Amino acid sequence: MPSHAGHEENDDNEFVKEYLGDFASVRSIVREALPFQLIATFGGVTSGIILSGMTDELQMIPGLIVIAPAVLGMRGNISSTLGSRLGSAIHMGLITKIERNPELINNVSGSLLLSAIMSFILGIMGHYITIAFGLESAGALTLTLIAVIAGVSSGIILSFVAVLLALGMFRFGFDPDNVVTPAIATIGDIVSMLMIFIAARVVLAL
């Protein structure tokens, strides 16, 4: 029995060493994360460029400038958390491919529901906080409609991207925890800003 226990302990030690070498060493973390961090920085600048091109929308919809950063922050928080949960589930073997997997469905559904709830709250808060500071607002309905359209549409897109990235990176030998979060944060900023622009245009056309 002691010999068998010792053999299992050696196997565990080998597994830990292999894991540290493949996924958790400083070298592997920096090698995998650095390119995506650089891309994330570029993505932040890109979203700023999109915002700078929304001059007309910002003037015609008072209060839009107040909710825009909040939409980006909310989207990044929810989608990045989804990416982290997917990475953990993949490491545990709970998700191996895109299929009707309860773990996958629950994670994505929960993320989308959070997006809808928080977008609704954000629109209302944006209106009343803007008014409280003595600034002009386009109205609770207008800001809420923009926040919900932008938040939910970008949530759908980013949920799909998060699933593909997490599974794809793992299959190619990357640790999803090092890659998915910064990648989603970058893509999320760009997608969310584009969706805010489109939502603003839709609301103005109504």
Side-chain angles (χ1 to χ4, degrees):
M1 283 299 288
S3 176
H4 180 66
H7 181 68
E8 287 186 348
E9 184 177 348
N10 289 334
D11 287 344
D12 290 341
N13 290 336
E14 288 298 322
F15 175 78
V16 170
K17 289 180 181 178
E18 182 179 354
Y19 176 81
L20 289 174
D22 291 343
F23 294 109
S25 69
V26 173
R27 180 179 179 182
S28 65
I29 292 171
V30 173
R31 185 183 69 247
E32 293 180 9
L34 182 59
F36 291 94
Q37 294 293 341
L38 294 173
I39 294 172
T41 303
F42 175 77
V45 173
T46 303
S47 63
I49 293 173
I50 296 172
L51 178 62
S52 68
M54 294 175 57
T55 307
D56 293 340
E57 288 76 16
L58 293 173
Q59 290 178 345
M60 290 186 284
I61 307 175
L64 179 59
I65 190 63
V66 175
I67 68 169
V71 171
L72 265 64
M74 175 196 72
R75 183 69 277 134
N77 291 338
I78 294 175
S79 297
S80 295
T81 302
L82 171 63
S84 297
R85 289 199 306 267
L86 291 175
S88 298
I90 289 171
H91 279 304
M92 295 169 65
L94 300 176
I95 300 174
T96 57
K97 60 182 179 179
I98 299 177
E99 59 182 353
R100 294 188 62 83
N101 182 321
E103 183 77 18
L104 179 58
I105 293 173
N106 290 344
N107 273 290
V108 173
S109 299
S111 176
L112 293 178
L113 182 58
L114 273 175
S115 298
I117 294 172
M118 291 307 302
S119 296
F120 181 79
I121 294 173
L122 172 60
I124 296 174
M125 285 182 59
H127 167 70
Y128 286 107
I129 289 175
T130 300
I131 296 298
F133 278 92
L135 302 174
E136 186 181 357
S137 171
L141 178 60
T142 297
L143 294 182
T144 300
L145 189 57
I146 292 173
V148 170
I149 292 174
V152 174
S153 60
S154 59
I156 293 172
I157 294 171
L158 291 173
S159 294
F160 182 71
V161 172
V163 172
L164 290 180
L165 267 178
L167 287 170
M169 290 297 101
F170 187 76
R171 288 179 181 177
F172 281 101
F174 292 92
D175 185 350
D177 293 333
N178 291 336
V179 176
V180 176
T181 297
I184 286 295
T186 303
I187 299 170
D189 285 347
I190 298 172
V191 170
S192 297
M193 192 59 72
L194 283 173
M195 292 301 105
I196 292 172
F197 176 76
I198 293 172
R201 280 292 179 182
V202 169
V203 169
L204 287 173
L206 294 177

